[in-house]
Amino acid sequence: MLLVGFLGWWYNTGWRGQVSRIGDTMIRTNDWFSIPLLIKTFFAPFRQISANEIGNDISSSFRAWSDRMFSRMIGAFMRFFMIIFGAITLVLILIISLIRLILWPIFPLVPVIGMALMLTVGTPWNLF
């Protein structure tokens, strides 16, 4: 009776729980990297650094403009690598999660497979 209850949980509720955990992990990882927000603010100044125009002459206006452009380039550079790193992390989590879901039905059979291998092949320490 205990074995039937365990197998019923494993192949029904347990499997659904794994799928919901994978979804939660993907949502939390996407939230941690904030990929949609990084894409939306891709050319925003880095750390909101912005140079104000000081004075009315052309050189101070050009200096303020070049400071803002430099800050925006740094911001785009940093956001680009964070988006790439976040996307790679999401893909790796997805691949590992899919492997875990594929192997989930096999895990209860591992002790049976191990016993069969031990009886047919022998223990690993006696093979060599």
Side-chain angles (χ1 to χ4, degrees), residues 12 32 36 42 47-48 55 61 63 75 82 99 102 108-109 118:
N12 188 10
W32 195 80
F42 192 74
R47 296 194 183 247
Q48 298 303 315
S61 297
R63 179 175 292 139
M82 284 302 292
I99 290 171
I102 290 169
L109 301 175
M118 186 184 77

Side-chain angles (χ1 to χ4, degrees), residues 24-37 90:
D24 291 343
T25 302
M26 295 293 285
I27 289 171
R28 281 186 282 120
T29 304
N30 189 29
D31 184 50
W32 195 80
F33 281 104
S34 303
I35 293 174
L37 182 63
L90 283 171

Side-chain angles (χ1 to χ4, degrees), residues 60-72:
S60 63
S61 297
F62 181 72
R63 179 175 292 139
W65 179 82
S66 63
D67 287 345
R68 284 193 299 269
M69 288 299 116
F70 185 72
S71 179
R72 288 177 192 274

Side-chain angles (χ1 to χ4, degrees), residues 7-55:
L7 291 176
W9 175 86
W10 188 269
Y11 290 107
N12 188 10
T13 309
W15 211 345
R16 280 187 279 155
Q18 289 295 317
V19 170
S20 71
R21 276 191 217 111
I22 290 169
D24 291 343
T25 302
M26 295 293 285
I27 289 171
R28 281 186 282 120
T29 304
N30 189 29
D31 184 50
W32 195 80
F33 281 104
S34 303
I35 293 174
L37 182 63
L38 289 174
I39 291 171
K40 197 184 311 182
T41 62
F42 192 74
F43 288 110
F46 182 64
R47 296 194 183 247
Q48 298 303 315
I49 298 171
S50 60
N52 295 327
E53 294 183 24
I54 304 170

Side-chain angles (χ1 to χ4, degrees), residues 82-93:
M82 284 302 292
I83 290 169
I84 296 297
F85 188 70
I88 290 171
T89 303
L90 283 171
V91 167
L92 288 176
I93 288 173

